[in-house]
Amino acid sequence: MPVGTAGTVKAVSQDILEDLGAQIILGNTYHLYLRPGHELVRKLGGLHKFMSWERALLTDSGGFQVFSLSELRKVKEEGVSFRSHLDGTSHLFTPERSMEIQIALGADIVMAFDECTEHPAERERARTSMEMTLRWAKRSKDYFEAHKHECPWADRVIGRSGDRVIGKTEESVPAQPGAAAVHDSITKLTAPALFGIVQGGMYADLRRESAERTVEMDFPGYAIGGLSVGESRAKTMDMIAAVLEILPKDKPRYVMGVGYPEEIVQYAAMGVDMMDCVLPTRAARHGLLFTSEGRINIKNARYAQDQRPADPKCACRVCARYTRAYLRHLFVSAEPLAGVLNTVHNLAFYLDTMRSVRHAITLGDLSGILSGDVS
Amino acid sequence: MPVGTAGTVKAVSQDILEDLGAQIILGNTYHLYLRPGHELVRKLGGLHKFMSWERALLTDSGGFQVFSLSELRKVKEEGVSFRSHLDGTSHLFTPERSMEIQIALGADIVMAFDECTEHPAERERARTSMEMTLRWAKRSKDYFEAHKHECPWADRVIGRSGDRVIGKTEESVPAQPGAAAVHDSITKLTAPALFGIVQGGMYADLRRESAERTVEMDFPGYAIGGLSVGESRAKTMDMIAAVLEILPKDKPRYVMGVGYPEEIVQYAAMGVDMMDCVLPTRAARHGLLFTSEGRINIKNARYAQDQRPADPKCACRVCARYTRAYLRHLFVSAEPLAGVLNTVHNLAFYLDTMRSVRHAITLGDLSGILSGDVS
């Protein structure tokens, strides 16, 4: 899922996202709550209408941004009080408040309010944090179930967008026993879906316990949060593997905030269905391009006369038209088009990568993809 | 002509410029000379190929940017020495050097090297400056005629772009006696065209003399430079009117660096064929949108809940999809998409305005357009 922090995937217009085949994008509750404000978005018909995006939207809970961006953060049982990074004003996010905001924004998938455990964390601290996330998940679910039909498009979805569905679609069904049952979970949306989030720090047993107790609450999808916070990649994979053993295969399984192209291929092969990451968009704005030949830093002088496209194997609108020499010129000249074109290419690369993964899953052979041949 | 300073119309990709119907865009010799350098551009096949733009390109002479941007500028008979605004390095632009650079860049229309007379200027200073521009025009022409076939695409134009033509096309022929002769000037390009530039400060007689003596040199097109430098709009119009009496009607007549939508309509009605201005693009990046209802500053709080498009009468891709509320949110959030969408709309408004002008000229009635109804 491309990340559209403040109601826009930075530098890319919605028609291009559609052309790129983005099926779902992510919005950040923390950012949209602060600006333009969830009540404004609700009043204008919800985030879909506000940003003119008919395809699926997911909002995070706000917990991670409060953890990473805000000042003077204070976590209590009730929730998290913090000061805005924009203007220093005081705010309180609770599970109920996060649900209220996300329902007002009107995403298709709403995330339970969790605490992203800091890294490193001692075992007892990780358990305490995990226990609070579980209590917050319960409070999130209670509030969400009581209020989900207050979402701006609830029960009116057919009139607004007739084909937005939740659940695994045929293209993404894993080629493994039991997968056929997944089709039953495809239903027209009449209200958003709430996903639970697994925490537990870097302790596999806590992760498993968190997964088991979250699954007991019965969500329509599950996320694995609190990863990619500074741990080794081997540790990330261990945690994902431990949790995937517990999470039901017939529900979407979402790893939050990952990763590099080779990572997302690995995780998909392990059974992960959804991922989001700012990497393709943020790296693009810093001149880092992902290609079938590896990463290239477009500002490097070696590209000044390079007439090849960013990625000779890529068919995106940027690679079809512009040379590395031109992209380098735009970047070193700090031209706004640099961010636009770099982002479009990186998103194309990521979305193409996931298309290849889905194709390989359909064919039942992920070996080529896992060996690094994602072209 | 949208302005594409450094080989890019800021924030807008070339396919969108094509969709908007831009027939020609302008590149700045001063900027491209400093970065990425004209020799690099020549080596990579010229600016058309470098930026992937098959339609027409015009480059200015570099004189105006040296005048407005560089440091420690020193004008002598030979040319202008200056320091780069980027890194302080010393450079010298002469008429010959300007031609060499522009030929290397490979624009379709090359501008003679002139001195943009400062404003205000005493009569004698304006005459001295005008005389130098005339001498520089002669030197520009001599060098240009001897070297124009060194342009990257010269004599190979059919293979590169079969339909790029210079001269007035049917759509832009003024509905007045003698206009039919214009068709004869349509020829396939085999080398760039060099336009002369009229100067003369704010003195109508100097302007007329400059025009007469420039026309004697016989250029395929003529520009009026040194306007919109701080004088009143009435003075600008007086100067343009004085010069248009002299410039041949069957050659393109180009007023440089203007203007607001109502101005460009007026000048077109007076007989001006070409104009360029950074206003639609620069204003867009500052949140100023041109609409059929006047200018709007999109950051204004009054637009926070405005669900109308930027211009309800505009059919551009921005007005077709996004609300003022969304555009305001993007702008106040400093999102890169703000610059993109605002620029696309403003360019659409300008290009639509000129399309309306051409249509009115064809119909033989400019009265509706001049009264402000440019919808």
Side-chain angles (χ1 to χ4, degrees):
Chain A
M1 297 181 285
V3 174
T5 305
T8 160
V9 174
K10 285 193 192 303
V12 182
S13 61
Q14 278 69 314
D15 57 322
I16 292 181
L17 289 172
E18 289 167 355
D19 286 353
L20 288 172
Q23 300 170 329
I24 176 169
I25 61 176
L26 185 143
N28 286 121
T29 291
Y30 171 85
H31 289 283
L32 291 162
Y33 160 78
L34 290 177
R35 196 168 55 192
H38 62 292
E39 283 302 343
L40 178 82
V41 174
R42 185 214 298 267
K43 195 169 168 184
L44 299 183
L47 188 55
H48 283 284
K49 194 171 171 198
F50 181 65
M51 67 179 290
S52 186
W53 178 255
E54 285 287 315
R55 299 186 187 175
L57 275 174
L58 178 149
T59 43
D60 63 7
S61 70
F64 182 76
Q65 263 78 30
V66 167
F67 169 83
S68 60
L69 282 180
S70 73
E71 291 157 24
L72 296 172
R73 182 175 46 99
K74 211 167 157 184
V75 183
K76 296 170 294 187
E77 182 64 28
E78 184 191 10
V80 187
S81 59
F82 61 95
R83 287 187 188 277
S84 158
H85 75 291
L86 294 176
D87 61 7
T89 50
S90 295
H91 303 267
L92 173 69
F93 273 1
T94 63
E96 293 78 14
R97 184 74 169 148
S98 172
M99 295 304 105
E100 181 196 343
I101 296 166
Q102 291 185 73
I103 289 168
L105 294 173
D108 303 277
I109 300 174
V110 163
M111 300 306 297
F113 191 67
D114 64 329
E115 184 182 44
C116 179
T117 313
E118 69 280 2
H119 177 77
E122 295 294 326
R123 183 181 178 78
E124 268 322 291
R125 161 63 195 145
R127 167 168 286 286
T128 307
S129 174
M130 177 199 92
E131 294 282 356
M132 185 146 73
T133 286
L134 286 165
R135 291 191 297 275
W136 284 0
K138 175 73 169 59
R139 284 168 58 189
S140 294
K141 191 161 196 279
D142 289 347
Y143 188 97
F144 178 82
E145 292 300 335
H147 295 273
K148 66 183 178 185
H149 291 279
E150 294 164 15
C151 131
W153 49 262
D155 304 321
R156 284 177 286 131
V157 73
I158 303 297
R160 200 183 59 74
S161 168
D163 59 355
R164 217 159 77 239
V165 295
I166 185 76
K168 296 180 180 182
T169 61
E170 189 159 4
E171 197 189 5
S172 65
V173 173
Q176 51 185 283
V182 170
H183 290 286
D184 298 336
S185 70
I186 299 177
T187 46
K188 287 261 186 274
L189 282 177
T190 54
L194 175 66
F195 282 19
I197 303 180
V198 173
Q199 291 285 350
M202 300 304 156
Y203 304 93
D205 58 332
L206 293 183
R207 285 277 172 184
R208 274 191 290 267
E209 180 180 342
S210 172
E212 276 162 10
R213 291 167 62 187
T214 306
V215 170
E216 276 168 23
M217 284 186 235
D218 190 21
F219 290 96
Y222 298 94
I224 309 177
L227 294 179
S228 217
V229 289
E231 78 281 11
S232 70
R233 195 174 298 180
K235 181 61 82 175
T236 315
M237 287 192 66
D238 285 350
M239 295 300 110
I240 293 172
V243 172
L244 287 178
E245 285 174 24
I246 315 289
L247 296 181
K249 285 189 170 62
D250 62 346
K251 300 278 175 68
R253 305 190 290 188
Y254 163 26
V255 176
M256 307 182 82
V258 295
Y260 283 93
E262 62 275 18
E263 283 180 280
I264 65 175
V265 169
Q266 281 180 318
Y267 303 153
M270 291 166 68
V272 172
D273 302 295
M274 303 166 64
M275 288 164 272
D276 76 280
C277 196
V278 294
L279 192 55
T281 44
R282 182 176 292 164
R285 299 196 303 281
H286 291 94
L288 189 70
L289 300 178
F290 295 98
T291 81
S292 60
E293 300 169 351
R295 298 167 215 166
I296 68 176
N297 192 328
I298 200 65
K299 74 168 169 244
N300 198 307
R302 80 202 311 172
Y303 302 120
Q305 302 188 26
D306 193 332
Q307 304 241 44
R308 289 173 297 170
D311 183 350
K313 291 189 181 171
C314 178
C316 83
R317 64 171 68 209
V318 177
C319 289
R321 181 151 197 172
Y322 304 104
T323 62
R324 292 177 180 181
Y326 184 63
L327 295 178
R328 176 182 189 268
H329 166 65
L330 294 178
F331 188 82
V332 299
S333 303
E335 282 289 339
L337 192 58
V340 175
L341 299 184
N342 292 348
T343 304
V344 169
H345 167 73
N346 274 357
L347 286 177
F349 186 81
Y350 265 70
L351 292 165
D352 284 348
T353 297
M354 290 310 294
R355 253 188 298 275
S356 298
V357 166
R358 289 194 292 272
H359 187 61
I361 289 172
T362 306
L363 294 178
D365 181 10
L366 276 160
S367 56
I369 293 244
L370 285 169
S371 68
D373 178 14
V374 293
S375 53
Chain B
M1 296 180 287
V3 173
T5 305
T8 159
V9 175
K10 284 192 193 302
V12 183
S13 60
Q14 278 69 312
D15 58 320
I16 292 180
L17 289 172
E18 289 167 354
D19 286 353
L20 288 171
Q23 301 171 329
I24 176 170
I25 62 176
L26 185 144
N28 286 122
T29 291
Y30 171 86
H31 289 284
L32 291 163
Y33 161 78
L34 291 178
R35 196 170 54 192
H38 62 292
E39 284 302 343
L40 177 82
V41 174
R42 185 215 296 269
K43 194 169 170 185
L44 299 184
L47 189 54
H48 284 283
K49 194 171 170 199
F50 181 65
M51 67 180 290
S52 184
W53 179 254
E54 286 287 315
R55 299 186 187 175
L57 276 173
L58 179 150
T59 42
D60 62 7
S61 71
F64 182 76
Q65 263 79 30
V66 167
F67 169 84
S68 60
L69 282 181
S70 72
E71 290 158 23
L72 296 173
R73 184 174 45 99
K74 212 166 158 186
V75 183
K76 295 171 294 187
E77 182 64 29
E78 183 191 10
V80 188
S81 57
F82 61 95
R83 287 189 188 274
S84 158
H85 75 291
L86 294 176
D87 60 7
T89 49
S90 295
H91 303 267
L92 173 69
F93 273 0
T94 64
E96 294 78 14
R97 184 75 169 148
S98 172
M99 295 304 103
E100 182 196 342
I101 297 166
Q102 291 185 72
I103 289 167
L105 294 174
D108 302 279
I109 300 174
V110 163
M111 300 304 298
F113 191 67
D114 64 329
E115 185 183 44
C116 180
T117 313
E118 68 281 1
H119 177 78
E122 296 294 327
R123 184 181 177 79
E124 270 320 293
R125 161 65 195 145
R127 167 168 285 285
T128 307
S129 173
M130 176 200 92
E131 293 282 357
M132 185 146 74
T133 286
L134 286 165
R135 291 190 298 276
W136 285 359
K138 174 75 169 62
R139 285 170 56 191
S140 294
K141 191 161 195 279
D142 289 346
Y143 188 96
F144 178 82
E145 293 301 335
H147 296 272
K148 66 184 178 185
H149 291 280
E150 294 164 15
C151 131
W153 49 261
D155 304 321
R156 283 179 287 131
V157 71
I158 303 297
R160 201 182 60 72
S161 169
D163 59 355
R164 218 158 75 238
V165 296
I166 185 75
K168 295 180 180 182
T169 60
E170 188 158 5
E171 196 189 6
S172 66
V173 173
Q176 51 185 282
V182 170
H183 291 285
D184 298 336
S185 71
I186 298 177
T187 46
K188 288 260 187 274
L189 282 178
T190 54
L194 175 67
F195 282 19
I197 302 180
V198 173
Q199 290 286 349
M202 300 303 158
Y203 303 94
D205 58 334
L206 293 183
R207 284 278 173 183
R208 274 191 290 266
E209 182 180 340
S210 173
E212 277 162 9
R213 292 168 61 186
T214 306
V215 169
E216 277 168 20
M217 284 186 235
D218 190 21
F219 290 95
Y222 298 94
I224 309 177
L227 295 179
S228 218
V229 289
E231 78 281 11
S232 70
R233 196 174 297 181
K235 181 60 82 177
T236 315
M237 288 193 67
D238 286 350
M239 295 301 109
I240 293 172
V243 171
L244 287 178
E245 285 173 24
I246 315 290
L247 296 181
K249 286 189 170 61
D250 62 347
K251 299 278 175 70
R253 305 189 291 189
Y254 163 26
V255 176
M256 307 182 82
V258 294
Y260 283 93
E262 61 275 17
E263 284 180 278
I264 66 174
V265 169
Q266 281 179 318
Y267 303 153
M270 291 165 69
V272 172
D273 302 295
M274 301 166 64
M275 287 165 273
D276 77 280
C277 197
V278 293
L279 192 54
T281 44
R282 183 175 292 165
R285 298 195 303 280
H286 291 94
L288 190 71
L289 299 177
F290 296 97
T291 81
S292 60
E293 299 169 353
R295 297 166 216 166
I296 69 176
N297 192 328
I298 200 65
K299 75 167 167 243
N300 199 307
R302 81 202 310 174
Y303 302 120
Q305 302 187 26
D306 193 332
Q307 306 241 43
R308 289 174 297 170
D311 184 350
K313 290 189 180 171
C314 179
C316 82
R317 63 172 68 208
V318 177
C319 289
R321 180 150 198 173
Y322 304 104
T323 63
R324 292 177 180 181
Y326 184 62
L327 295 178
R328 176 183 189 269
H329 166 66
L330 293 178
F331 188 81
V332 299
S333 303
E335 281 290 340
L337 192 58
V340 175
L341 299 184
N342 292 348
T343 304
V344 169
H345 167 73
N346 274 358
L347 285 178
F349 186 81
Y350 265 69
L351 292 165
D352 283 349
T353 297
M354 291 310 294
R355 253 189 297 274
S356 298
V357 167
R358 289 194 292 272
H359 187 61
I361 288 172
T362 306
L363 295 177
D365 182 10
L366 277 160
S367 57
I369 293 246
L370 286 168
S371 68
D373 179 13
V374 291
S375 54

